[in-house]
Amino acid sequence: DAAHLTPVLVDRLLDHVGLLVGDEHATVASLSPACAASALAVIAHALRATASHNRTAGALAAVVTRFEAGMVATLRETAAGLIAGQAGEMGQAWNVSVASVARHTLAGRAWASAALPIDANAPRDHQVGYVLPTSFASDANLTDADVTVLLAAFPSPPAFGDITPLAPIVTLLLEQKGAHVPVQGLPLAARIRVTIPLSPAHRA
């Protein structure tokens, strides 16, 4: 139960998740979709536990940074077990997250768009998705190598103090040759389109 986790326990949990998912000692070749889904669920619970405590803005920012690092590690370890053209969809894990990891050739451009249902019973328009512009490959200086993409959503994000999210928290990460492709700050010729549905309570 996230409500029973103190800030100290949350920090320790993030440390353990970082060690397990990051696999610093290279003890496993890759993560299966099931293991990755569980890892994402643990990370999401840690974020929810953080929200239940009155942390300073600086402390909260540090946790979010570690949250993102855990997502990057999950992408890298899961993609290591995929071949070009293969995708590993992670269904809703512990009712807190849904995600998919895919690996594609650069030339095929299948990596440039994807959609992910929030849950199996949700209406068709209730899904997260993204579309990268045709200029993205040159804007991001992508090389002629496979592109791996992690698309993840946390359908019921917690409130942070007075801030209550109206939609899922969505993560979109790209990698090439095991290296993260940074998007923030890129001089993009066209915009990246990301679709994020409002939560059911705010759709009514």
Side-chain angles (χ1 to χ4, degrees):
D1 188 342
H4 295 141
L5 292 175
T6 66
V8 172
L9 289 176
V10 170
D11 288 337
R12 290 181 179 175
L13 180 60
L14 287 172
D15 286 340
H16 292 317
V17 171
L19 288 172
L20 289 172
V21 177
D23 192 27
E24 295 180 3
H25 301 294
T27 55
V28 296
S30 64
L31 285 179
S32 68
C35 287
S38 294
L40 292 176
V42 171
I43 294 171
H45 276 303
L47 186 67
R48 181 170 294 172
T50 294
S52 67
H53 298 285
N54 260 330
R55 293 206 182 206
T56 64
L60 182 57
V63 170
V64 172
T65 297
R66 296 172 72 185
F67 171 83
E68 292 176 343
M71 300 291 287
V72 171
T74 302
L75 164 61
R76 184 173 295 122
E77 292 296 323
T78 307
L82 302 178
I83 60 175
Q86 187 178 14
E89 187 167 316
M90 293 161 263
Q92 196 165 47
W94 304 355
N95 298 317
V96 292
S97 67
V98 291
S100 68
V101 174
R103 182 172 183 171
H104 301 288
T105 61
L106 178 68
R109 284 197 57 82
W111 49 269
S113 64
L116 184 66
I118 294 299
D119 64 64
N121 299 317
R124 188 173 181 179
D125 64 338
H126 194 56
Q127 59 186 8
V128 300
Y130 72 92
V131 177
L132 299 176
T134 54
S135 60
F136 184 83
S138 57
D139 293 341
N141 296 315
L142 297 184
T143 61
D144 188 17
D146 291 350
V147 180
T148 54
V149 183
L150 168 67
L151 178 63
F154 301 92
S156 302
F160 293 91
D162 297 330
I163 301 174
T164 302
L166 303 183
I169 294 176
V170 175
T171 296
L172 173 62
L173 297 170
L174 286 82
E175 277 201 351
Q176 263 201 329
K177 296 181 178 180
H180 178 52
V181 177
V183 175
Q184 187 173 1
L186 279 179
L188 297 175
R191 295 180 179 179
I192 296 172
R193 191 173 74 218
V194 178
T195 302
I196 305 176
L198 291 174
S199 65
H202 293 90
R203 288 161 60 90

